[in-house]
Amino acid sequence: MDSQKASYNAGQAKGQAQEKASSMMDKASNAAQSAKESMQEAGQQMMAKAEGAADAVKDATGMNK
């Protein structure tokens, strides 16, 4: 009876460890996705600023006609 109980407890511990690992992987994946989206947003903002600067130069030099 004790060996069955020990086996059951080992199974429970293994299941809990797998669940915890899965949860940690989900969190890591979510963090990576969030970082990717932040980088894309930053890149879009930089491009918009560069375009604005280019337009300002064109306006200043009269090339925007």
Side-chain angles (χ1 to χ4, degrees):
M1 196 66 169
D2 284 341
S3 66
Q4 283 183 332
K5 188 174 181 182
S7 178
Y8 174 80
N9 288 341
Q12 286 289 101
K14 181 180 178 186
Q16 289 172 0
Q18 287 173 336
E19 181 65 29
K20 190 170 188 176
S22 176
S23 175
M24 289 173 67
M25 289 297 289
D26 287 345
K27 287 179 183 177
S29 177
N30 290 342
Q33 182 64 30
S34 179
K36 179 182 171 186
E37 290 169 4
S38 294
M39 292 298 288
Q40 287 175 337
E41 191 173 313
Q44 289 169 352
Q45 288 175 356
M46 287 176 63
M47 285 182 63
K49 287 180 182 178
E51 288 172 10
D55 287 343
V57 169
K58 288 177 188 174
D59 289 344
T61 59
M63 297 178 66
N64 208 10
K65 294 180 180 174

